[in-house]
Amino acid sequence: MTIKISIDCMGGDHGPSVTIPAAVSFVSHEQDAELILVGLEDVIRAELKKLNASAHPRLTVVHATEIVGMDDPIEVALRRKKDSSMRVAVTLIKEGKADACVSAGNTGALMAVSRYVLKTIPGVDRPAICFPMPNQKDSPTYMLDLGANVDCEPQHLHQFALMGSALVSALEGKAKPTVGLLNIGEEDIKGNEVVKQTAALLRADHEKGTLNFYGNVEGNDIFEGTTDIVVCDGFVGNVVLKASEGLGRFLKNIVKSEFKSNAINMLGAVIAQGALKSISQRMNPSRYNGASLLGLRGLVFKSHGGEDAYGYEWAIKRAYEAARHDVLSRISTTIAELMPQPSGASASDAAGASNALI
Amino acid sequence: MTIKISIDCMGGDHGPSVTIPAAVSFVSHEQDAELILVGLEDVIRAELKKLNASAHPRLTVVHATEIVGMDDPIEVALRRKKDSSMRVAVTLIKEGKADACVSAGNTGALMAVSRYVLKTIPGVDRPAICFPMPNQKDSPTYMLDLGANVDCEPQHLHQFALMGSALVSALEGKAKPTVGLLNIGEEDIKGNEVVKQTAALLRADHEKGTLNFYGNVEGNDIFEGTTDIVVCDGFVGNVVLKASEGLGRFLKNIVKSEFKSNAINMLGAVIAQGALKSISQRMNPSRYNGASLLGLRGLVFKSHGGEDAYGYEWAIKRAYEAARHDVLSRISTTIAELMPQPSGASASDAAGASNALI
C-alpha cells in the first residue's frame, strides 16, 4: 500500500529550498511513499528541476496561491488565506487524498487550520502537540501537550494520556506503554489541583487496566526515560521544550569552545574526531524534529520552522511512520472505548482554535 | 565586619560528613566569615576533630537534639521537632546571632520552618525560591519561583520580580537588572491569564522606571541569558530546573561514553584532557548550588540534598555573598517602596507555609 503525504512546501523559515530537497530525499529512501507537494507550482517545479526530480513518479504537485507567513495572526491563516499551501495540504487529508500532512509553518496557524478543516476526534475536547524527547534509554519519551493548550482541565490531561498511550503503542509496538504525570514531586500530595485531580482519573484507568499509569514524574524523568509518555499542560510543556533546546545549544557550545581553546585540545579533537562527530550527531535536535498534532481526524505533523532539509526529512519520516502504523484509528478507537462521556466537542470552531498559541 | 552564617549540619542526604568539611574549607578561604555549626554536638565535634579544626576560632558549635529527615512531612518539622538543627539554625537569624543560614534539608520543611520562625517581609505575600541558572553569557540568570508556590496570582509574580531585581542589583552590582516573564511566546497575546495580567503590572512598573521589564521570554532565553532575572510560578520553575538537571546529566553521559567508545577516541581524550576537564567543570551543577528563599525576614539558603562538600561550600558562599551585599535590606526597601499596598501577609502561618511543596 502506498502512503501518501501532503507537504506544505511554502511553510517554515526557508520554504521550498528546504522542503523540496527533503521530500526528494525521502521518496528516494521509502519506496512505498508518495508525496504531494503543495504550494506555488512554478517555484516547486523550479526546485524539482534543480534536483533532477521533475519526472519523479511518486512526487506530484498541487498548486496553492497563498502562503501563511510565520508572523501571520491565526485569523489571517484561518479566514483570509483560504488557498494557502498549509490549508490545501491539510484539506488533502480530509478529501482522502493524503494519509498525513507535514508543515513547518506557524504552529498556532497550523493547529487552527487543522482543527477547522479536520475537526477533532469524537471524545477529544482539545488537540495536543506531542513530541518525542531524547532520553538516557535511547527510546524517546513522548511528551504532550507542548503548547496547544495554555490552560488545561483534568479531563484534557486525561485525554492527552489516552492519546499518547495509543500513539506510543502504535509507533513503538508497546502493548502497555507507561504514562507519567509531570509534577513537582513524586508523592500524591504534590502539585496543584489540576494535577491532583488528573492523577485520580489516571489511577482509576490504571485500576481498570485501561492505562498503564506510572504516577507522578519530575522534570528530570523526561530525560531519564522513566516513562514512555509524559503528560503536562501546554504552558509547562512548551517552556520545558524550549528550555531543553536552549540548554542543549549552550552545552554544545561549551564542548565546541573547549576543544578549540588551545593547540593541544585541538590535536585531541582531531584524533577523537569520531567521538566529537558522534556527540554532535546525538546532540543534534534535528534528529527529533516532527511534532504530531494529536486528537484531530487526520495526521498532521509540524516541523520546526528553522530546520534544514535533514531535519525536515525527519518530520516527513514521523508522518510516514504514523500513517504506516495506523495511529489515527488507534487513537480514535482508544478514545471511543475509554473516554467515559464523549463530549461532542468535535465541532471545533475558531474560538476553540485560538487555544493554539505557539 | 564579621559575617556570621548558621549551618544546619544535619540536613541533606549526607549530613555532617559533607556539611562540616565544607564549613571548614569555607572559613579557611574567607577571613571575615564565622560559621555556627548546628546539630548533634558530639557528631559535629568528632567530625571537626577528624579535620583538625576543633579549635578553629571562627567555628562555633550549637547543640540541637533533633533532625528533620528528608522524608519528614512538613507538619513534623514544624510542630514536633522544635529542637531540630534546621529550626535552631534558622532561629539564630531571628535572634540576631547569624546573618544568614544554610541547610541541605527538605525544601518544603525548610521553607515552612523559615516562614514560621522569621515571617515574611511586609508587602510580600509569599516567599519564593530563587536560583542562579548558568547561561551562554557566563553571568547567571536568576530564576524564581522554583517550587515554593504551585499556584500564583499576578501580584505574587509581581513581588517575585521586585525581589529578584533587588537581589541581582545587590549581588551583581547592576543598577537596573532586566526582568523577563517566562511565557510560551514573546508577543503580548501569548500565555495564560495570570501571565498576561502579570505582564501588565510589570509594564506599569517599567513605565514608572521602577523595574527594568524586558517583556516575555521563552524557555531558551534562560540559557541564552536574555535577561538577568526570569520570573515564573513555582510549578513551571521547578519542572524546568529538574528537567535541566536531567538533560545536563544526559548530555554529560553522552560526552563521556563517546570518548570511551574506542581506543582512538580514548587517546584523543588523553591528549585533550584539559578540554574534557574544563567541560566537566563547566557542566558541573555543583557550581550553581545554593538557592535563596526570598521574601523572608532573614537570609536562608538551601543546598541541594545530594551535594558533596564542594557543592555545599558553594551554597555557603552564596549565603555569605548575600549577607555581605546586604540583600535583605535591599529587598525590604524595594518592596516597601514599590509594592503599592502592603498586604500585611507577613504573619504567615502554617497553612500558608504548606504552599512550600518541594
Side-chain angles (χ1 to χ4, degrees):
Chain A
M1 197 194 78
T2 310
I3 289 169
K4 292 178 186 162
I5 300 167
S6 59
I7 308 287
D8 166 13
C9 293
M10 314 308 289
D13 298 342
H14 312 298
S17 67
V18 154
T19 56
I20 311 286
V24 169
S25 168
F26 185 77
V27 282
S28 76
H29 292 113
E30 296 293 348
Q31 301 309 318
D32 61 349
E34 187 177 323
L35 302 185
I36 308 166
L37 308 175
V38 184
L40 298 173
E41 187 163 1
D42 290 356
V43 178
I44 294 174
R45 295 223 179 269
E47 200 68 43
L48 285 174
K49 198 171 172 189
K50 261 198 253 169
L51 300 164
N52 294 320
S54 298
H56 197 291
R58 286 180 288 110
L59 288 175
T60 52
V61 180
V62 168
H63 183 55
T65 56
E66 290 172 305
I67 298 168
V68 173
M70 292 306 271
D71 298 322
D72 272 348
I74 289 173
E75 282 67 31
V76 170
L78 205 56
R79 307 210 181 279
R80 293 237 308 271
K81 296 187 172 173
K82 295 194 177 170
D83 196 40
S84 71
S85 56
M86 180 190 280
R87 179 139 170 191
V88 172
V90 172
T91 304
L92 287 170
I93 306 178
K94 188 175 163 65
E95 294 172 344
K97 294 178 184 159
D99 302 303
C101 166
V102 178
S103 174
N106 175 333
T107 310
L110 180 62
M111 180 59 100
V113 165
S114 302
R115 212 174 151 164
Y116 180 79
V117 171
L118 300 171
K119 315 298 180 210
T120 51
I121 292 170
V124 172
D125 292 316
R126 295 181 183 181
I129 299 172
C130 181
F131 189 76
M133 307 280 274
N135 67 33
Q136 298 267 13
K137 293 185 182 161
D138 233 359
S139 123
T141 306
Y142 287 81
M143 197 168 159
L144 75 167
D145 174 34
L146 293 182
N149 307 279
V150 291
D151 283 303
C152 288
E153 297 298 322
Q155 77 268 23
H156 302 137
L157 296 173
H158 184 196
Q159 291 163 14
F160 299 169
L162 294 176
M163 293 197 291
S165 184
L167 174 83
V168 174
S169 173
L171 282 184
E172 308 279 335
K174 289 184 181 178
K176 290 269 176 202
T178 49
V179 175
L181 180 63
L182 196 58
N183 201 340
I184 63 167
E186 286 177 13
E187 305 85 340
D188 292 346
I189 56 148
K190 294 290 173 79
N192 55 33
E193 272 313 302
V194 171
V195 166
K196 285 182 203 170
Q197 287 174 28
T198 305
L201 294 172
L202 302 184
R203 265 196 300 274
D205 277 3
H206 185 81
E207 279 156 25
K208 282 186 282 176
T210 53
L211 189 82
N212 191 358
F213 180 47
Y214 171 90
N216 289 329
V217 292
E218 300 185 73
N220 49 300
D221 289 301
I222 300 165
F223 300 102
E224 282 160 19
T226 307
T227 56
D228 298 309
I229 297 135
V230 168
V231 170
C232 59
D233 73 46
F235 192 99
V236 174
N238 187 265
V239 168
V240 167
L241 176 68
K242 288 186 182 153
S244 305
E245 288 171 0
L247 179 57
R249 275 195 297 270
F250 171 39
L251 298 180
K252 205 170 167 177
N253 287 344
I254 287 181
V255 173
K256 260 194 201 163
S257 71
E258 290 297 342
F259 275 99
K260 284 182 183 163
S261 63
N262 64 42
I264 291 173
N265 289 336
M266 281 161 83
L267 174 63
V270 170
I271 292 170
Q273 56 182 294
L276 284 168
K277 205 174 151 189
S278 188
I279 290 166
S280 172
Q281 211 163 26
R282 289 176 69 183
M283 287 172 85
N284 185 354
S286 297
R287 275 182 67 207
Y288 300 94
N289 187 38
S292 31
L293 274 50
L294 288 186
L296 299 163
R297 298 188 195 190
L299 295 171
V300 179
F301 280 75
K302 155 77 183 147
S303 163
H304 196 289
E307 276 300 340
D308 59 11
Y310 172 79
Y312 196 84
E313 195 177 340
W314 272 101
I316 304 178
K317 263 181 215 170
R318 289 200 202 287
Y320 168 82
E321 290 296 332
R324 202 163 70 89
H325 288 93
D326 210 8
V327 161
L328 186 59
S329 73
R330 294 286 283 268
I331 292 178
S332 305
T333 310
T334 301
I335 292 287
E337 283 173 3
L338 303 180
M339 277 311 292
Q341 296 156 311
S343 66
S346 58
S348 59
D349 55 15
S354 74
N355 283 313
L357 280 174
I358 60 166
Chain B
M1 197 195 80
T2 309
I3 289 168
K4 291 176 187 164
I5 299 166
S6 59
I7 308 286
D8 166 13
C9 293
M10 313 309 287
D13 298 343
H14 312 297
S17 66
V18 155
T19 56
I20 311 288
V24 169
S25 167
F26 185 76
V27 284
S28 76
H29 292 114
E30 296 292 347
Q31 302 308 318
D32 61 349
E34 189 177 321
L35 301 185
I36 309 168
L37 309 173
V38 184
L40 299 172
E41 187 164 359
D42 290 355
V43 178
I44 295 174
R45 294 224 180 268
E47 200 67 43
L48 285 173
K49 200 170 169 189
K50 262 198 254 170
L51 300 164
N52 294 321
S54 299
H56 197 292
R58 287 180 287 112
L59 287 174
T60 53
V61 179
V62 168
H63 184 54
T65 56
E66 290 171 305
I67 299 169
V68 173
M70 292 304 272
D71 297 322
D72 272 349
I74 290 172
E75 282 67 32
V76 170
L78 206 57
R79 308 213 181 279
R80 293 238 308 273
K81 295 187 172 174
K82 294 193 177 172
D83 195 41
S84 72
S85 56
M86 181 190 281
R87 179 140 170 190
V88 171
V90 171
T91 304
L92 287 170
I93 306 178
K94 187 175 165 66
E95 294 172 344
K97 293 176 185 160
D99 302 302
C101 167
V102 178
S103 174
N106 176 333
T107 310
L110 180 62
M111 179 60 99
V113 165
S114 301
R115 211 173 152 163
Y116 180 78
V117 170
L118 299 171
K119 316 297 181 212
T120 51
I121 292 169
V124 172
D125 292 316
R126 296 180 181 181
I129 299 172
C130 181
F131 190 76
M133 307 281 273
N135 67 32
Q136 299 267 14
K137 293 186 182 160
D138 233 0
S139 123
T141 305
Y142 287 82
M143 196 167 159
L144 75 167
D145 173 34
L146 294 182
N149 307 280
V150 290
D151 284 303
C152 289
E153 297 299 320
Q155 78 267 22
H156 302 136
L157 296 173
H158 184 196
Q159 290 163 15
F160 299 168
L162 293 175
M163 293 197 291
S165 184
L167 174 83
V168 174
S169 172
L171 282 185
E172 308 280 334
K174 291 185 181 178
K176 290 268 177 202
T178 49
V179 175
L181 180 62
L182 195 57
N183 202 341
I184 62 167
E186 286 177 12
E187 306 85 340
D188 291 348
I189 56 148
K190 294 291 173 81
N192 54 34
E193 271 314 303
V194 171
V195 166
K196 286 182 202 170
Q197 288 174 28
T198 305
L201 293 172
L202 301 184
R203 264 197 301 273
D205 277 5
H206 185 81
E207 278 156 26
K208 283 186 281 175
T210 52
L211 189 82
N212 191 359
F213 180 47
Y214 171 89
N216 289 329
V217 292
E218 300 185 74
N220 50 299
D221 289 301
I222 299 165
F223 300 102
E224 282 160 21
T226 307
T227 57
D228 297 310
I229 297 135
V230 168
V231 171
C232 58
D233 73 46
F235 192 99
V236 174
N238 188 264
V239 168
V240 168
L241 177 68
K242 288 186 183 155
S244 306
E245 288 171 1
L247 180 56
R249 274 194 298 270
F250 171 39
L251 297 181
K252 204 169 167 176
N253 286 344
I254 287 181
V255 173
K256 259 192 201 164
S257 71
E258 291 297 341
F259 275 99
K260 283 183 183 163
S261 63
N262 64 42
I264 291 173
N265 289 336
M266 282 162 81
L267 174 64
V270 170
I271 292 170
Q273 57 184 291
L276 283 169
K277 205 175 152 188
S278 188
I279 289 166
S280 172
Q281 213 163 25
R282 289 176 70 184
M283 286 173 84
N284 185 354
S286 297
R287 275 181 69 207
Y288 301 94
N289 188 38
S292 31
L293 274 50
L294 288 187
L296 300 162
R297 299 188 196 191
L299 295 170
V300 180
F301 280 75
K302 155 77 183 144
S303 163
H304 196 289
E307 276 300 339
D308 58 12
Y310 171 79
Y312 196 84
E313 195 177 340
W314 272 101
I316 304 178
K317 263 181 215 168
R318 290 200 201 288
Y320 168 82
E321 290 297 332
R324 202 164 69 89
H325 289 94
D326 211 8
V327 161
L328 185 59
S329 74
R330 293 285 284 267
I331 291 177
S332 305
T333 310
T334 300
I335 293 287
E337 283 173 4
L338 303 181
M339 276 311 293
Q341 295 156 310
S343 66
S346 57
S348 59
D349 55 16
S354 73
N355 283 315
L357 280 175
I358 60 164

